[in-house]
Amino acid sequence: MTTSGQTVRITYREAIRQAIREALQRDPRVFVMGEDVGRYGGCYAVTKGLLEEFGPERIRDTPLSESAFVGAGIGAALGGMRPIVEIMTVNFSLLALDQIVNNAATILHMSGGQFNIPIVIRLTTGAGRQLAAQHSHSLEGWYAHIPGIKVLTPATLEDARGMLWTALEDPDPVLIFEHGTLYNAEGDLAAEAVAVNIGQAAIRRPGSDVSLITYGGTLDKSLQAAEQLAAEKIDAEVVDLRTLRPLDTATILDSVARTHRAVIIDEGWRSGSISAEISARIMEGAFYELDLPVARVCSAEVPMPYAKHMEEAALPQVATIVETVRRMLGGNG
Amino acid sequence: MAPEAAPAQPTLERAHVLHLLRQMMRIRRFEEKCAELYTASKIRGFLHLYIGEEAVAVGAIQALTSDDAIVATYREHGHALVRGIPASAIMAEMYGKQEGCSRGRGGSMHIFDAATRFYGGNAIVGGGLPIAVGLALADKLQGRSRVNACFFGEGAVAEGEFHECVNLAALWKLPVLFCCENNLYAMGTALKRSESETDLCLKAGSYEIAAWPVDGMDVLACEEAAHRAALEVRAGGGPCFLEFRTYRFRAHSMYDPQLYRDKREVEEWKLRDPIALFQTRLRERSLINDDDVKQIEDEVAAEIAHAIEFAEAGTLEPAGELTKFVYSERPRS
Ligand SMILES: Cc1ncc(C[n+]2csc(CCOP(=O)(O)OP(=O)(O)O)c2C)c(N)n1
């Protein structure tokens, strides 16, 4: 982390746009393709202005045809290009699931290592905006089930700015999940862009009493919970996974070895989830370090309801995280 | 169940034309109010307005009996109102109240109503089409002569699901009435930028089904076409495809700055406002007068005022019921 140079005030959205612009400038093989990325300016305005700057060959509006254009991205990657494919939201990626899971994730292996697929797929994920059941999925953990693809979940401005280039340099398919509630997040970022690694988790807040393990849209909620807990003299460590596949097990286990307690916070559903995977790895690798069973704060197992109070009740909240930690430490904290 | 007699052929009888006019004005005023309520944060999530396209739903649904089914998209307030779902239940739904037609679980994009066989409000482009095909299959298997009307935008025609569905319905001679609402734009993507062949009837017709274009700004033309198509479908001749040529006067949703179209184009289409057009035509034939219009305005205003009152007075579902409706409740055996 270099903080030497100047900083700029920037939003998460602009940080991604800068990263895309820079990639387009640096590598002529890079192009952007997706629904409404050009004339409309991107459904979350991430690609706004890029059409004017780079033209319609490199900023390609596609028809509504997720399977075709994601598959075409895979083909273009095979053909020597470096596509950045935008799927408006993870919800619509389900129409392209066959291409992602049956092609992108398998061709390297099926071809005995002959054909790699250097594609980057960006998708918006998550709930919290009253968009109801078909527009609120958090399926990044589900994608992390698939060997052959990498799953990134930038939660900070540095990662929004820095992960894309690293992903483009990766020889294999990388999915970048951007939580929809983060686009307007604003902060200071080093003016000089720095590429970041994509395989390591980060300790966003060191602490000694409990590890709050999270990523993406719930990082901020976990940090807020840690602040509240600090007022109660509970010192929480916050681990930002950053990458769900490959999962940085070492950082997780190290943290648990220090704190002896772990709470996993995940907007995905609990059953068969990334939170279950993390919990299993803690059992496998740090069982004897634990003072207490691992706890989880996940979304309620229900398709996301529209009504605000119901959506709030369904999602992990700062209060539920705090409550879970309190209950955990209640006996011996 | 004995099928109802098919609705009578369209006429220019005064009572009938007043009915058509009233239905279009109900949609228009209801949605204008929705836009205001959205700005006032009473309605949240995504809100897609049908303003400009009213003649399509009003005309097409005249051809359906109460036994028939409707599958619609996220732009479905108009269809729901015409179908007979009370404005109060729709408004309460958008308020997230449990008195809403979907108990506040669905919101604007997911209006459902079993009583009127209204199978949603689907927010995945093309997502409703297979459901309509399946409803039609069930009718066929059970020897019922019912029409399954499926509304979707021209954007859906680019999805594989559209082609799979039209083919299947044609192959199995299923009673589906495909109602394509061609408003020329899928979000910011103009038809000519998403289709190599922009003649949608030619596309649909290639599956060996009857397909023809309709002036979607002319409610009588919509009604007439739907009657003709529904007659064929009901008689067991297989599906029909209607392309209603229309235009959305408002933004795609409440977040759309409309960078992709010329203001002049919108103004030109507004000259063909289906409500103004119809009123002029009826006045020219002395079928209606100012008092009729005034009376409708008053009645509609009262209906909407009541709907808002109902929604305001509505109650929130207890959060304890969050995980209801994930699985069906069955009596213990
Ligand atoms: C599969 C899928 N992809 C993308 C979207 C995002 N989206 C919602 S509406 C829309 C445009 C659809 O246009 P059209 O089918 O013409 O219907 P209209 O909105 O014009 O009524 C898009 C791209 C979606 N909901 N579903």
Side-chain angles (χ1 to χ4, degrees):
Chain A
M1 232 181 277
T2 53
T3 46
S4 52
Q6 282 185 315
T7 64
V8 286
R9 194 91 190 140
I10 195 170
T11 62
Y12 184 90
R13 170 186 292 110
E14 289 159 355
I16 299 169
R17 186 186 305 142
Q18 273 192 13
I20 298 173
R21 177 183 291 121
E22 184 196 47
L24 286 158
Q25 286 164 346
R26 270 165 87 162
D27 187 340
R29 297 171 304 172
V30 171
F31 69 101
V32 175
M33 164 161 74
E35 289 160 11
D36 288 313
V37 294
R39 270 164 201 85
Y40 190 87
C43 70
Y44 289 101
V46 170
T47 52
K48 198 167 169 190
L50 296 181
L51 173 68
E52 291 72 18
E53 195 174 340
F54 296 98
E57 280 292 298
R58 298 185 76 197
I59 308 295
R60 305 186 78 86
D61 278 327
T62 65
L64 271 144
S65 47
E66 289 79 4
S67 184
F69 72 75
V70 170
I74 295 168
L78 278 170
M81 300 301 287
R82 289 290 179 276
I84 302 174
V85 176
E86 174 177 310
I87 306 179
M88 283 185 171
T89 74
V90 65
N91 312 284
F92 318 142
S93 77
L94 301 183
L95 281 77
L97 205 48
D98 172 57
Q99 289 299 322
I100 298 170
V101 178
N102 274 327
N103 281 346
T106 62
I107 285 179
L108 179 68
H109 186 82
M110 291 191 298
S111 68
Q114 296 179 80
F115 294 119
N116 64 302
I117 319 272
I119 187 177
V120 172
I121 302 175
R122 296 179 38 246
L123 329 79
T124 304
T125 187
R129 291 163 296 150
Q130 283 194 262
L131 300 182
Q134 294 182 330
H135 275 59
S136 300
H137 290 303
S138 288
L139 296 178
E140 51 277 12
W142 207 46
Y143 277 102
H145 178 65
I146 314 293
I149 57 180
K150 294 184 180 173
V151 175
L152 314 187
T153 54
T156 64
L157 294 174
E158 289 80 8
D159 282 349
R161 179 72 178 84
M163 275 183 168
L164 183 75
W165 183 252
T166 317
L168 280 166
E169 287 194 310
D170 199 284
D172 298 316
V174 179
L175 272 60
I176 305 182
F177 288 87
E178 300 158 7
H179 198 282
T181 58
L182 289 175
Y183 287 120
N184 291 327
E186 202 175 4
D188 295 318
L189 184 66
E192 195 65 39
V194 213
V196 298
N197 77 73
I198 58 174
Q200 283 166 1
I203 309 290
R204 298 293 181 202
R205 182 189 198 283
S208 53
D209 293 332
V210 57
S211 301
L212 305 182
I213 301 165
T214 191
Y215 68 91
T218 41
L219 174 62
D220 190 56
K221 287 177 178 176
S222 302
L223 287 166
Q224 285 182 46
E227 284 307 308
Q228 285 189 21
L229 290 164
E232 299 171 25
K233 303 255 178 310
I234 298 173
D235 189 18
E237 174 150 302
V238 178
V239 180
D240 174 6
L241 295 169
R242 299 180 65 247
T243 306
L244 302 189
R245 187 178 190 103
L247 199 55
D248 178 5
T249 312
T251 300
I252 298 168
L253 298 185
D254 278 357
S255 176
V256 173
R258 279 193 301 277
T259 63
H260 311 290
R261 301 174 187 95
V263 179
I264 304 158
I265 301 104
D266 178 14
E267 203 180 289
W269 293 300
R270 172 187 304 252
S271 302
S273 65
I274 190 74
S275 69
E277 176 61 29
I278 295 162
S279 176
R281 293 201 190 189
I282 295 171
M283 297 308 151
E284 289 161 356
F287 183 78
Y288 296 105
E289 297 288 352
L290 287 173
D291 284 353
L292 288 163
V294 171
R296 288 189 278 165
V297 179
C298 302
S299 282
E301 306 239 336
V302 57
M304 200 55 68
Y306 161 75
K308 186 172 173 30
H309 70 295
M310 291 299 242
E311 183 181 43
E312 280 171 358
L315 292 170
Q317 301 294 354
V318 175
T320 34
I321 303 168
V322 169
E323 187 55 33
T324 303
V325 173
R326 265 193 211 135
R327 233 185 301 124
M328 229 178 167
L329 290 153
N332 54 352
Chain B
M1 208 189 304
E4 264 178 57
Q9 283 297 308
T11 65
L12 276 184
E13 232 172 76
R14 189 177 131 82
H16 182 64
V17 294
L18 279 174
H19 170 71
L20 296 179
L21 182 60
R22 177 179 295 111
Q23 293 289 41
M24 289 200 287
M25 288 169 64
R26 284 177 74 218
I27 302 174
R28 177 70 56 93
R29 300 290 175 251
F30 182 85
E31 289 206 318
E32 285 168 350
K33 198 45 117 181
C34 287
E36 277 175 40
L37 292 166
Y38 194 88
T39 310
S41 293
K42 294 282 188 181
I43 298 175
R44 292 284 83 195
F46 285 156
L47 180 71
H48 307 85
L49 301 180
Y50 196 55
I51 290 176
E53 306 183 38
E54 294 93 338
V56 179
V58 172
I61 293 174
Q62 298 309 309
L64 305 183
T65 72
S66 58
D67 262 357
D68 296 334
I70 293 182
V71 180
T73 70
Y74 46 84
R75 199 182 297 288
E76 88 285 36
H77 311 145
H79 311 75
L81 283 168
V82 179
R83 186 57 174 170
I85 306 176
S88 51
I90 301 171
M91 191 60 87
E93 185 57 35
M94 292 197 257
Y95 268 63
K97 302 290 179 75
Q98 60 181 334
E99 292 77 8
C101 51
S102 309
R103 292 183 68 85
R105 299 280 179 144
S108 160
M109 301 196 287
H110 304 295
I111 294 172
F112 284 84
D113 184 51
T116 56
R117 302 201 69 226
F118 198 87
Y119 290 92
N122 200 304
I124 302 299
V125 171
L129 283 99
I131 293 175
V133 173
L135 285 164
L137 177 60
D139 283 341
K140 179 153 178 146
L141 290 173
Q142 295 175 75
R144 288 181 301 231
S145 96
R146 304 201 290 202
V147 173
N148 298 277
C150 185
F151 293 87
F152 52 94
E154 86 293 341
V157 173
E159 293 280 11
E161 251 168 358
F162 169 80
H163 297 273
E164 296 177 24
C165 285
V166 179
N167 181 54
L168 200 56
L171 191 68
W172 291 348
K173 295 236 174 306
L174 301 178
V176 184
L177 179 54
F178 291 103
C179 298
C180 177
E181 305 181 312
N182 179 5
N183 61 16
L184 295 175
Y185 292 90
M187 276 183 73
T189 302
L191 177 67
K192 61 176 184 293
R193 296 192 188 281
S194 70
E195 293 293 336
S196 58
E197 171 56 77
T198 55
D199 183 340
L200 304 181
C201 291
L202 198 60
K203 277 180 185 298
S206 77
Y207 293 96
E208 296 295 315
I209 66 170
W212 67 95
V214 187
D215 180 353
M217 303 313 247
D218 177 349
V219 68
L220 293 174
C222 294
E223 184 183 23
E224 198 272 329
H227 265 286
R228 196 143 64 87
L231 216 58
E232 284 194 31
V233 171
R234 208 181 294 283
C240 271
F241 175 93
L242 295 176
E243 178 201 345
F244 295 98
R245 296 187 175 163
T246 181
Y247 199 79
R248 115 174 109 63
F249 291 172
R250 298 289 184 103
H252 167 76
S253 70
M254 304 304 280
Y255 296 105
D256 165 15
Q258 304 190 64
L259 306 170
Y260 49 85
R261 65 181 184 183
D262 199 327
K263 283 209 173 64
R264 268 181 323 209
E265 181 186 286
V266 183
E267 291 314 312
E268 264 167 42
W269 273 93
K270 280 187 179 168
L271 297 176
R272 302 208 51 235
D273 182 321
I275 297 176
L277 222 60
F278 193 48
Q279 280 191 15
T280 310
R281 195 158 152 197
L282 298 180
R283 278 176 213 270
E284 278 169 8
R285 298 185 187 205
S286 305
L287 279 163
I288 62 162
N289 56 37
D290 288 352
D291 288 345
D292 294 320
V293 176
K294 165 94 176 50
Q295 194 187 335
I296 295 177
E297 289 283 14
D298 291 347
E299 286 166 8
V300 168
E303 183 187 8
I304 294 168
H306 169 259
I308 295 172
E309 248 170 64
F310 179 83
E312 290 278 352
T315 54
L316 296 178
E317 195 179 5
E321 292 183 10
L322 178 63
T323 54
K324 252 182 133 171
F325 314 122
V326 179
Y327 299 101
S328 301
E329 285 167 17
R330 292 162 197 267
R332 261 184 223 206
S333 51

